Amino acid sequence: MELYLNATSPYARLVRIVLLEKGLADAVALKWCDPWADNAELLKANPAGRIPALITEKGITLSESLLIAVYLDGVSPNKPMIPTAGLGEVLHLTGLGQNLMDAAFNTVIARKHYGNGIDDRDLGQRRSRAIQRLLKQLGSELGEKQKASPITLGEISIAVALDYLAFRLSEVSWKEENPQLQEWQAGVTARASFQQTAFC
């Protein structure tokens, strides 16, 4: 298999973590690229020019991090990250993590193209409010929750999103304001899969 990615995408990192947790890292060649450069190979794998993009062993191209994660979960014999038991809870947490990731990522991209002043516009304010609401809910739901073993896709999604906030939007001081959530996240990101894929 081949995976198109870069080192700063939270979506690509989520897929890399899934690969490691599912024991599939050695079965995938990592194709590092700049998605903003209209890389020809990436566009062939995903005409939208977005990462991550996966080419399966059968030559099928997959895009969107959560869809790739579902596929990888299904092709590995390791314990499922999207288990049938507790499916609703796992998908609920995955959605929260994905929404936080989207709000943070879109803030970063908007600033890159239009400057920090874009935060004061309606969409920028809406993203900021969404981030705060999501952090409040995550703090409430996960503050006293023990990290799972094996880990689920929901926990990966949330932990990656929180790491991305710290990496790209450090002014969002979620750790100081949510000490129990920070403790939960520290327990998840201590795993080797997170250490090996840290943002840089």
Side-chain angles (χ1 to χ4, degrees), residues 14 17-23 73 78-83 90 93-94 145-160 184-194:
L14 181 148
I17 290 168
V18 171
L19 283 170
L20 289 164
E21 292 285 347
K22 297 295 290 186
D73 197 41
N78 288 15
K79 286 194 175 182
M81 307 184 110
I82 312 170
V90 171
L93 294 177
T94 302
K145 183 182 174 79
Q146 298 297 312
K147 63 184 183 297
S149 183
I151 196 169
T152 70
L153 182 60
E155 290 158 328
I156 292 173
S157 178
I158 291 167
V160 169
W184 175 88
Q185 197 243 8
V188 175
T189 57
R191 299 175 74 95
S193 60
F194 280 84

Short mmCIF file of all heavy atoms in Angstrom, two decimals, residues 14 17-23 73 78-83 90 93-94 145-160 184-194:
data_model
loop_
_atom_site.label_atom_id
_atom_site.label_comp_id
_atom_site.label_asym_id
_atom_site.label_seq_id
_atom_site.Cartn_x
_atom_site.Cartn_y
_atom_site.Cartn_z
N LEU A 14 -3.55 10.94 12.09
CA LEU A 14 -4.54 9.97 12.57
C LEU A 14 -4.37 8.64 11.85
O LEU A 14 -4.36 7.57 12.47
CB LEU A 14 -5.95 10.52 12.36
CG LEU A 14 -7.12 9.65 12.83
CD1 LEU A 14 -8.28 10.52 13.31
CD2 LEU A 14 -7.62 8.73 11.71
N ILE A 17 -1.22 6.77 12.94
CA ILE A 17 -1.40 6.14 14.25
C ILE A 17 -2.20 4.86 14.11
O ILE A 17 -1.87 3.83 14.72
CB ILE A 17 -2.08 7.12 15.23
CG1 ILE A 17 -1.11 8.25 15.59
CG2 ILE A 17 -2.56 6.40 16.49
CD1 ILE A 17 -1.75 9.42 16.33
N VAL A 18 -3.25 4.88 13.29
CA VAL A 18 -4.03 3.67 13.05
C VAL A 18 -3.16 2.59 12.45
O VAL A 18 -3.22 1.42 12.86
CB VAL A 18 -5.25 3.98 12.15
CG1 VAL A 18 -5.95 2.68 11.73
CG2 VAL A 18 -6.24 4.89 12.87
N LEU A 19 -2.32 2.94 11.48
CA LEU A 19 -1.41 1.96 10.88
C LEU A 19 -0.53 1.30 11.94
O LEU A 19 -0.37 0.07 11.95
CB LEU A 19 -0.52 2.65 9.84
CG LEU A 19 -1.14 2.98 8.48
CD1 LEU A 19 -0.20 3.86 7.68
CD2 LEU A 19 -1.46 1.70 7.71
N LEU A 20 0.03 2.10 12.81
CA LEU A 20 0.91 1.56 13.85
C LEU A 20 0.14 0.70 14.84
O LEU A 20 0.59 -0.40 15.21
CB LEU A 20 1.61 2.71 14.58
CG LEU A 20 2.68 3.44 13.77
CD1 LEU A 20 3.03 4.78 14.41
CD2 LEU A 20 3.93 2.57 13.64
N GLU A 21 -1.01 1.16 15.27
CA GLU A 21 -1.79 0.41 16.24
C GLU A 21 -2.33 -0.91 15.66
O GLU A 21 -2.49 -1.89 16.38
CB GLU A 21 -2.96 1.26 16.76
CG GLU A 21 -2.54 2.46 17.60
CD GLU A 21 -2.10 2.08 19.01
OE1 GLU A 21 -2.34 0.93 19.42
OE2 GLU A 21 -1.51 2.94 19.70
N LYS A 22 -2.57 -0.92 14.37
CA LYS A 22 -3.10 -2.12 13.72
C LYS A 22 -2.00 -3.04 13.20
O LYS A 22 -2.27 -4.08 12.60
CB LYS A 22 -4.03 -1.73 12.56
CG LYS A 22 -5.28 -0.97 12.97
CD LYS A 22 -6.23 -1.79 13.82
CE LYS A 22 -6.89 -2.89 13.03
NZ LYS A 22 -7.93 -3.61 13.80
N GLY A 23 -0.73 -2.66 13.41
CA GLY A 23 0.37 -3.51 12.97
C GLY A 23 0.57 -3.53 11.47
O GLY A 23 1.08 -4.51 10.92
N ASP A 73 -8.89 -0.70 9.68
CA ASP A 73 -9.41 -1.46 10.82
C ASP A 73 -9.95 -2.81 10.36
O ASP A 73 -9.86 -3.81 11.08
CB ASP A 73 -10.50 -0.67 11.53
CG ASP A 73 -10.79 -1.19 12.93
OD1 ASP A 73 -9.83 -1.54 13.64
OD2 ASP A 73 -11.97 -1.24 13.30
N ASN A 78 -5.72 -7.43 14.09
CA ASN A 78 -5.60 -6.88 15.44
C ASN A 78 -6.96 -6.46 15.98
O ASN A 78 -7.90 -6.25 15.21
CB ASN A 78 -4.65 -5.69 15.46
CG ASN A 78 -3.19 -6.09 15.27
OD1 ASN A 78 -2.90 -7.21 14.86
ND2 ASN A 78 -2.29 -5.19 15.57
N LYS A 79 -7.05 -6.31 17.29
CA LYS A 79 -8.32 -5.94 17.90
C LYS A 79 -8.88 -4.69 17.23
O LYS A 79 -8.14 -3.75 16.95
CB LYS A 79 -8.14 -5.71 19.40
CG LYS A 79 -7.96 -7.00 20.18
CD LYS A 79 -8.13 -6.77 21.66
CE LYS A 79 -8.07 -8.13 22.39
NZ LYS A 79 -8.28 -7.98 23.84
N PRO A 80 -10.20 -4.66 16.99
CA PRO A 80 -10.79 -3.55 16.25
C PRO A 80 -10.73 -2.24 17.02
O PRO A 80 -10.86 -2.20 18.23
CB PRO A 80 -12.24 -3.99 16.03
CG PRO A 80 -12.51 -4.98 17.10
CD PRO A 80 -11.21 -5.68 17.35
N MET A 81 -10.55 -1.16 16.27
CA MET A 81 -10.59 0.18 16.84
C MET A 81 -11.99 0.77 16.74
O MET A 81 -12.27 1.81 17.33
CB MET A 81 -9.61 1.09 16.09
CG MET A 81 -8.21 0.53 16.02
SD MET A 81 -7.10 1.68 15.23
CE MET A 81 -6.15 2.14 16.64
N ILE A 82 -12.83 0.11 15.95
CA ILE A 82 -14.23 0.50 15.84
C ILE A 82 -15.04 -0.74 16.20
O ILE A 82 -15.65 -1.39 15.35
CB ILE A 82 -14.57 0.97 14.42
CG1 ILE A 82 -13.52 1.98 13.93
CG2 ILE A 82 -15.96 1.63 14.37
CD1 ILE A 82 -13.63 2.33 12.46
N PRO A 83 -15.05 -1.12 17.47
CA PRO A 83 -15.68 -2.37 17.88
C PRO A 83 -17.20 -2.31 17.79
O PRO A 83 -17.80 -1.25 17.96
CB PRO A 83 -15.23 -2.53 19.34
CG PRO A 83 -14.98 -1.14 19.80
CD PRO A 83 -14.46 -0.39 18.60
N VAL A 90 -18.07 4.92 20.48
CA VAL A 90 -16.84 5.14 19.71
C VAL A 90 -17.08 6.16 18.60
O VAL A 90 -16.28 7.09 18.39
CB VAL A 90 -16.31 3.81 19.12
CG1 VAL A 90 -15.16 4.07 18.14
CG2 VAL A 90 -15.85 2.90 20.24
N LEU A 93 -17.43 9.74 20.07
CA LEU A 93 -16.14 10.34 20.38
C LEU A 93 -15.37 10.70 19.11
O LEU A 93 -14.72 11.75 19.05
CB LEU A 93 -15.32 9.40 21.25
CG LEU A 93 -15.85 9.13 22.67
CD1 LEU A 93 -14.97 8.12 23.39
CD2 LEU A 93 -15.95 10.42 23.47
N THR A 94 -15.45 9.83 18.11
CA THR A 94 -14.77 10.11 16.85
C THR A 94 -15.30 11.39 16.23
O THR A 94 -14.54 12.23 15.72
CB THR A 94 -14.95 8.94 15.86
OG1 THR A 94 -14.44 7.74 16.46
CG2 THR A 94 -14.21 9.19 14.56
N LYS A 145 -12.36 9.81 32.70
CA LYS A 145 -12.39 8.54 31.98
C LYS A 145 -10.98 7.97 31.88
O LYS A 145 -10.02 8.69 31.61
CB LYS A 145 -12.96 8.77 30.58
CG LYS A 145 -13.12 7.51 29.74
CD LYS A 145 -13.65 7.90 28.36
CE LYS A 145 -13.70 6.71 27.43
NZ LYS A 145 -14.86 5.87 27.66
N GLN A 146 -10.85 6.69 32.10
CA GLN A 146 -9.55 6.03 31.96
C GLN A 146 -9.30 5.72 30.49
O GLN A 146 -10.20 5.40 29.74
CB GLN A 146 -9.53 4.72 32.77
CG GLN A 146 -9.71 4.93 34.26
CD GLN A 146 -8.59 5.74 34.86
OE1 GLN A 146 -7.42 5.47 34.62
NE2 GLN A 146 -8.94 6.74 35.65
N LYS A 147 -8.04 5.85 30.08
CA LYS A 147 -7.70 5.54 28.70
C LYS A 147 -7.97 4.07 28.42
O LYS A 147 -7.78 3.21 29.28
CB LYS A 147 -6.26 5.90 28.39
CG LYS A 147 -5.22 5.14 29.18
CD LYS A 147 -3.83 5.63 28.88
CE LYS A 147 -2.76 4.85 29.60
NZ LYS A 147 -2.83 4.94 31.05
N ALA A 148 -8.42 3.81 27.21
CA ALA A 148 -8.81 2.45 26.85
C ALA A 148 -7.60 1.64 26.39
O ALA A 148 -6.62 2.16 25.91
CB ALA A 148 -9.84 2.48 25.74
N SER A 149 -7.70 0.35 26.57
CA SER A 149 -6.72 -0.57 26.01
C SER A 149 -7.48 -1.81 25.55
O SER A 149 -8.06 -2.51 26.37
CB SER A 149 -5.67 -0.96 27.06
OG SER A 149 -4.70 -1.79 26.47
N PRO A 150 -7.57 -2.10 24.25
CA PRO A 150 -6.92 -1.35 23.18
C PRO A 150 -7.61 -0.01 22.92
O PRO A 150 -8.77 0.19 23.28
CB PRO A 150 -7.09 -2.28 21.98
CG PRO A 150 -8.34 -3.03 22.27
CD PRO A 150 -8.35 -3.24 23.75
N ILE A 151 -6.89 0.87 22.27
CA ILE A 151 -7.38 2.20 21.99
C ILE A 151 -8.43 2.15 20.88
O ILE A 151 -8.41 1.26 20.03
CB ILE A 151 -6.20 3.12 21.60
CG1 ILE A 151 -6.60 4.59 21.67
CG2 ILE A 151 -5.65 2.74 20.22
CD1 ILE A 151 -5.42 5.53 21.56
N THR A 152 -9.35 3.11 20.90
CA THR A 152 -10.38 3.16 19.86
C THR A 152 -10.12 4.34 18.93
O THR A 152 -9.35 5.25 19.25
CB THR A 152 -11.79 3.33 20.47
OG1 THR A 152 -11.90 4.64 21.04
CG2 THR A 152 -12.07 2.26 21.51
N LEU A 153 -10.82 4.34 17.80
CA LEU A 153 -10.68 5.43 16.84
C LEU A 153 -11.14 6.75 17.45
O LEU A 153 -10.56 7.80 17.16
CB LEU A 153 -11.49 5.12 15.57
CG LEU A 153 -11.40 6.16 14.45
CD1 LEU A 153 -9.97 6.32 13.97
CD2 LEU A 153 -12.33 5.77 13.30
N GLY A 154 -12.14 6.70 18.32
CA GLY A 154 -12.62 7.91 18.96
C GLY A 154 -11.53 8.57 19.79
O GLY A 154 -11.33 9.79 19.75
N GLU A 155 -10.83 7.77 20.56
CA GLU A 155 -9.77 8.32 21.41
C GLU A 155 -8.60 8.84 20.58
O GLU A 155 -8.00 9.88 20.91
CB GLU A 155 -9.32 7.25 22.40
CG GLU A 155 -10.40 6.98 23.44
CD GLU A 155 -10.26 5.63 24.10
OE1 GLU A 155 -9.81 4.67 23.45
OE2 GLU A 155 -10.62 5.53 25.29
N ILE A 156 -8.28 8.16 19.49
CA ILE A 156 -7.22 8.64 18.61
C ILE A 156 -7.61 9.99 18.01
O ILE A 156 -6.82 10.94 18.00
CB ILE A 156 -6.94 7.62 17.49
CG1 ILE A 156 -6.31 6.35 18.07
CG2 ILE A 156 -6.04 8.22 16.41
CD1 ILE A 156 -6.16 5.23 17.06
N SER A 157 -8.83 10.09 17.51
CA SER A 157 -9.30 11.31 16.88
C SER A 157 -9.23 12.50 17.84
O SER A 157 -8.73 13.58 17.49
CB SER A 157 -10.74 11.11 16.39
OG SER A 157 -11.26 12.29 15.81
N ILE A 158 -9.68 12.30 19.07
CA ILE A 158 -9.67 13.39 20.05
C ILE A 158 -8.25 13.77 20.45
O ILE A 158 -7.89 14.95 20.50
CB ILE A 158 -10.50 12.98 21.29
CG1 ILE A 158 -11.98 12.90 20.93
CG2 ILE A 158 -10.28 13.97 22.44
CD1 ILE A 158 -12.83 12.22 21.97
N ALA A 159 -7.42 12.78 20.73
CA ALA A 159 -6.05 13.06 21.16
C ALA A 159 -5.25 13.77 20.07
O ALA A 159 -4.46 14.68 20.36
CB ALA A 159 -5.36 11.77 21.59
N VAL A 160 -5.44 13.39 18.81
CA VAL A 160 -4.76 14.07 17.71
C VAL A 160 -5.24 15.51 17.59
O VAL A 160 -4.45 16.44 17.40
CB VAL A 160 -4.96 13.31 16.38
CG1 VAL A 160 -4.49 14.15 15.19
CG2 VAL A 160 -4.22 11.99 16.39
N TRP A 184 -5.97 13.06 30.80
CA TRP A 184 -6.48 12.00 29.92
C TRP A 184 -5.65 11.95 28.63
O TRP A 184 -5.21 10.89 28.20
CB TRP A 184 -7.96 12.26 29.58
CG TRP A 184 -8.50 11.28 28.58
CD1 TRP A 184 -9.06 10.06 28.83
CD2 TRP A 184 -8.49 11.42 27.15
NE1 TRP A 184 -9.40 9.44 27.65
CE2 TRP A 184 -9.06 10.25 26.60
CE3 TRP A 184 -8.07 12.44 26.28
CZ2 TRP A 184 -9.22 10.06 25.24
CZ3 TRP A 184 -8.21 12.24 24.91
CH2 TRP A 184 -8.78 11.06 24.41
N GLN A 185 -5.43 13.12 28.03
CA GLN A 185 -4.70 13.17 26.78
C GLN A 185 -3.26 12.71 26.93
O GLN A 185 -2.72 12.01 26.07
CB GLN A 185 -4.74 14.60 26.22
CG GLN A 185 -4.37 14.66 24.74
CD GLN A 185 -3.14 15.47 24.50
OE1 GLN A 185 -2.44 15.88 25.42
NE2 GLN A 185 -2.85 15.71 23.23
N ALA A 186 -2.65 13.05 28.05
CA ALA A 186 -1.27 12.63 28.29
C ALA A 186 -1.17 11.11 28.36
O ALA A 186 -0.20 10.51 27.88
CB ALA A 186 -0.74 13.26 29.58
N GLY A 187 -2.19 10.47 28.93
CA GLY A 187 -2.19 9.02 29.00
C GLY A 187 -2.29 8.37 27.63
O GLY A 187 -1.63 7.36 27.35
N VAL A 188 -3.09 8.99 26.74
CA VAL A 188 -3.25 8.44 25.38
C VAL A 188 -2.00 8.68 24.56
O VAL A 188 -1.49 7.78 23.87
CB VAL A 188 -4.48 9.06 24.68
CG1 VAL A 188 -4.58 8.58 23.24
CG2 VAL A 188 -5.76 8.71 25.43
N THR A 189 -1.46 9.90 24.61
CA THR A 189 -0.33 10.24 23.75
C THR A 189 1.00 9.67 24.24
O THR A 189 2.02 9.81 23.57
CB THR A 189 -0.20 11.77 23.60
OG1 THR A 189 -0.08 12.37 24.90
CG2 THR A 189 -1.42 12.35 22.89
N ALA A 190 0.98 9.00 25.38
CA ALA A 190 2.19 8.30 25.84
C ALA A 190 2.42 7.03 25.03
O ALA A 190 3.52 6.46 25.07
CB ALA A 190 2.07 7.96 27.32
N ARG A 191 1.42 6.59 24.29
CA ARG A 191 1.56 5.38 23.48
C ARG A 191 2.62 5.59 22.40
O ARG A 191 2.80 6.69 21.88
CB ARG A 191 0.22 5.01 22.83
CG ARG A 191 -0.89 4.73 23.83
CD ARG A 191 -2.20 4.50 23.12
NE ARG A 191 -2.25 3.21 22.46
CZ ARG A 191 -2.77 2.10 22.99
NH1 ARG A 191 -3.29 2.14 24.21
NH2 ARG A 191 -2.79 0.98 22.32
N ALA A 192 3.30 4.51 22.04
CA ALA A 192 4.38 4.58 21.05
C ALA A 192 3.89 5.15 19.71
O ALA A 192 4.62 5.88 19.04
CB ALA A 192 4.99 3.19 20.85
N SER A 193 2.66 4.82 19.33
CA SER A 193 2.13 5.29 18.04
C SER A 193 2.04 6.80 17.98
O SER A 193 2.23 7.41 16.92
CB SER A 193 0.76 4.67 17.78
OG SER A 193 -0.17 5.03 18.80
N PHE A 194 1.76 7.44 19.12
CA PHE A 194 1.72 8.90 19.16
C PHE A 194 3.13 9.49 19.22
O PHE A 194 3.39 10.51 18.58
CB PHE A 194 0.89 9.37 20.37
CG PHE A 194 -0.59 9.32 20.15
CD1 PHE A 194 -1.30 8.14 20.33
CD2 PHE A 194 -1.28 10.45 19.72
CE1 PHE A 194 -2.67 8.08 20.10
CE2 PHE A 194 -2.66 10.40 19.51
CZ PHE A 194 -3.35 9.22 19.71
#
